[in-house]
Amino acid sequence: MQEALLAQVPNYCLPIRAAGCRLCSDMDHGRLIRVRKQNGDSGAGAYIVALPDSGKAIALIKNKVAAHGDTVEDLGRVSDALLIAMKLQPGSFTRA
């Protein structure tokens, strides 16, 4: 009976678990990471990272995006709702 009721409700109205989200059960947020180019170049960017740990998120962006000498910093948390809306899987990222 409950499944029949859930089928009539749009996914965006359901709790994350009921909506069939593929995020890890222990991940309730991600991180917003900024990369600033050395010498103040205009090539700065921000990334939404689907990892709750600040250090791991920074390391991922340093390894995949940042050039040697760039400043990589954590700007704070992003919600699980944003990760779902961006369709990010654990350990993935996208430019903000």
Side-chain angles (χ1 to χ4, degrees):
M1 173 85 170
Q2 185 179 12
E3 288 182 22
L5 292 174
L6 290 177
Q8 297 172 4
V9 178
N11 279 346
Y12 61 85
C13 294
L14 296 174
I16 292 168
R17 305 252 188 281
C21 174
R22 292 187 178 156
L23 290 176
C24 293
S25 60
D26 60 344
M27 183 182 321
D28 59 347
H29 64 277
R31 307 302 301 181
L32 180 62
I33 305 295
R34 178 171 55 190
V35 177
R36 285 197 268 178
K37 300 297 180 185
Q38 56 187 351
N39 301 326
D41 290 342
S42 62
Y47 297 86
I48 299 166
V49 183
L51 289 171
D53 181 80
S54 175
K56 289 180 182 178
I58 288 172
L60 176 69
I61 297 301
K62 278 184 177 180
N63 290 330
K64 301 283 185 174
V65 177
H68 181 71
D70 289 351
T71 302
V72 181
E73 59 188 326
D74 178 52
L75 297 180
R77 293 171 57 151
V78 297
S79 70
D80 60 340
L82 178 61
L83 298 178
I84 292 167
M86 300 298 291
K87 298 181 181 168
L88 293 174
Q89 297 298 313
S92 64
F93 64 93
T94 189
R95 189 167 175 121

